[in-house]
Every structure is written in structure tokens, then in C-alpha cells.
Amino acid sequence: MIKIIKIMFRLFFKTLMLLLFFVFSVIIILVITNINLPKQSKYQDHLDNEQKIYIAEFQNLQRSIGENVYPGWSAMKIPIIVYNEYFIFLIGYDKPPKGWFKVPQNIQLGGEWEIVDNDLFFGNSYYRQKTTDIKVVPENFVVKVGDRWVASLQTYEYSAVAFYNGFKEELPSVLKQIFPYRFFWKMIMGTPEDYISTLSHEAFHALQGESNEKKFNNAEFSNAQTDSYPWNNQSNIDGWNNEAKFLMLAYETSDDSLAKLYLNKFIEARDKRRELAHISDQCVLFEKQREWLEGTAKYAELSIGVEAAKSKKYTPFPQIKDFKKFNYYENRVIFFKKQINEISRNMNRQDENKFYYSGLIQSLILDRFDKNWKTKILIDNLYLEDLLRMIK
């Protein structure tokens, strides 16, 4: 018996030592890896070739596949702004007027645009201006340059740098040296398709703004309701949970009659939630406007990659085919399915993220029951929820 105990103790001790060795090794690897994390952009005053290819592939994707996602999107010539902590770059806009306008406030920011010397964007000049304050940049959204709507996003390189630096500031000191930054960044923006899809999201806002500027501006101004919205009201939380359940049931069933029954249940649950949680008329409009603005942009972001993967005719921008990480949008099909599985959880978050996903699932259901919803939704006072209420 004593001999058996000794053997078990030795096995336990060896296992413990192996486990400690493994943990220690991982910590050492993470520390060494984190020492080499970039703290600033390497390419500061011009765009590197990889960034140019990402933008060119988005332009190619939008021109080729955009119409499959939303009427008129392929025909739009959307200029692109990308920026790092040093410069703001403007592509696809010849002789741009000074600065840019923050929307919907219509505040002009920035200075004169200069042509980037000794560099071209695939045969064409592009522009830049120096960043004087990292807090005064176009941000990841959309702006106007002159009278044109322009999609705006951090460069791929700077988005990683900003993630690493920002995450470090949030972590306790003991974790800063060993947190797996690269792993989490890869989960967020690990492939070219991830970045291109994010750029597609912001470019879709340009379509919304150009198609109905008044509706776009009102939807963005509605953010003023964020502080007064009853995020933590239990009736509101329970109601959103019911809405997510019925929307998912409507989406998942192949029986149209049953799907319509679940949609009626969704409408009943939404009306009851607003009544029990005392949602004001302003906050009701806030919900609908954010679902329209961000939910349909989420829909476009996911759909354009799926359409590219499904298309037998789509040919990506030639140079992106050399990227080992580029997978011809096949990963977007998988990502789309994962996002569908995440809808209920995200609709129950107590922040604006819920509207991205409630708008997404409503858009997908409208694809099935109203082939003209994308045109209708540009009308001033018509929102996704309103169209669902019309389904009989």
C-alpha cells in the first residue's frame, strides 16, 4: 500500500512539474513575443503595398459584388480615407478640397491635402495630411470631403498598434507582460477578409448618407439618447431576450407560415417590452434608427464576403492572391454562420452592440419576405421593424 502511494505521489509530482514547466515556458514565450510588439506604425508618411492591396481589393469587391448586396452600391465611387497616428491618407478623390466634415455635425476639420510625393496608388496619385492630434481624425466611420461621402478606417498596421497599446492600458500591471495580444488581435482582424469586410461596413455608411442624408443624420444624432436609454431595466432586458428568441425562430424555420407566426410573437414581445419598461417615444425611435444605421451596415459587411465566396464569376484583385492569409472569402461563410450563432447573445448586451445584431437578423428575415425592402428602407420614416410589421 505504501509503495502504491509512493508511486502515485511520484506520478503526481512529475505531472505537476511538467505542468509548471509548460506554464513557465508559455509565460517566457509571451514575454519575449510581447517585447517585440510594435508600438508605432512602421509606414508613417505613405501607404505600404499591403495596405494599398487591401483598399484595391475592397474597391474591386464593391464594384463587382456590391449590387448583389444592395441596389446601387456597385455604381458608387466611394473615396477612402485610411489613417495612422502620423498621417491621414485619401484615395480615389482627385484634387480634394480642404479637410473633411465630421458628420452629422457638419464640422470641418483638418487642413489642406497634399499629393504623396514619389508614390502612387496603382498608377494614380493619392493625398495625405499630417495628423496634429490623434483625437482629431476621421475615425472608423464615414466623413464628407467637400460634398462627397468618404469611408474612413485605420490602416491595417495602425489598427493592430492601437489595439496593442489600448489593451495594455486597460490591463493590470501583472498581466501586461504576459497577455497574448497577438492571439486576440488575430481573432479580431486576422485575415485580409476581416479588414476588407470592416472597410465594407464603413463604406456602406457612405451609401446610406448619399441615399438619404437627412435620415442618416437623424439616426446618428439619435446617439444623444444613449445616456437616457434604460439599458439595465429588468423588463427591458427580459423583453430583448424574448425578441431575440422569436427572431431567431423566425429565421431558422423553413416553414413560412410558422416564421410569420414567430414574427408576430416578436412584434408582441417588442410592444410589451416597451410598455413594461416605459420606453419613451424618443427611445423607441432611437432603437429603430440605430437598427437601421448599424444593423444594415452589419448586414452589408457580412453579406458582401458571402456573396464573393458564392460567386463563380468574381475575380479578386490580382495581387491579393499572393497573400498566404487570403482565402478567397471562404472564411466569411464560416464567420457568417458564427455571427448568426452570436445574435441572441449580442442582442442581450447592455450597450449599442445589440442594435447591430437586432438590425442584422431583421434584415436577413426581410430578405426572405420582402424583396424590395432595401429600396423601401431609404424612405424617411420607415425602419426595419416597420417593414416586419407589414408582413402578412
Side-chain angles (χ1 to χ4, degrees), residues 81-99:
I81 279 176
V82 292
Y83 63 94
N84 58 31
E85 66 271 55
Y86 300 102
F87 282 89
I88 301 164
F89 304 95
L90 176 60
I91 301 95
Y93 198 137
D94 188 35
K95 298 179 181 179
K98 179 181 178 180

Side-chain angles (χ1 to χ4, degrees), residues 340-355:
I340 295 299
N341 292 333
E342 288 290 306
I343 285 175
S344 294
R345 185 179 68 83
N346 279 284
M347 280 182 64
N348 284 292
R349 289 177 56 173
Q350 306 317 313
D351 55 41
E352 198 202 17
N353 198 63
K354 66 164 70 251
F355 303 129

Side-chain angles (χ1 to χ4, degrees), residues 125-175:
S125 297
Y126 67 103
Y127 294 81
R128 72 184 177 198
Q129 58 180 271
K130 194 169 181 58
T131 302
T132 55
D133 183 350
I134 195 57
K135 295 180 180 179
V136 184
V137 292
E139 301 180 346
N140 297 340
F141 190 43
V142 68
V143 298
K144 292 183 76 174
V145 176
D147 60 355
R148 296 183 66 182
W149 291 83
V150 181
S152 175
L153 187 64
Q154 296 169 331
T155 64
Y156 182 83
E157 179 189 33
Y158 178 56
S159 59
V161 170
F163 173 81
Y164 299 147
N165 292 341
F167 221 114
K168 283 182 181 178
E169 291 180 4
E170 299 295 326
L171 290 175
S173 299
V174 69
L175 292 178

Side-chain angles (χ1 to χ4, degrees), residues 250 253-263 368-369 391:
T253 182
S254 58
D255 185 320
D256 285 355
S257 296
L258 190 56
K260 291 177 182 179
L261 176 63
Y262 288 135
L263 285 179
R368 178 176 174 182
F369 291 108
I391 295 172

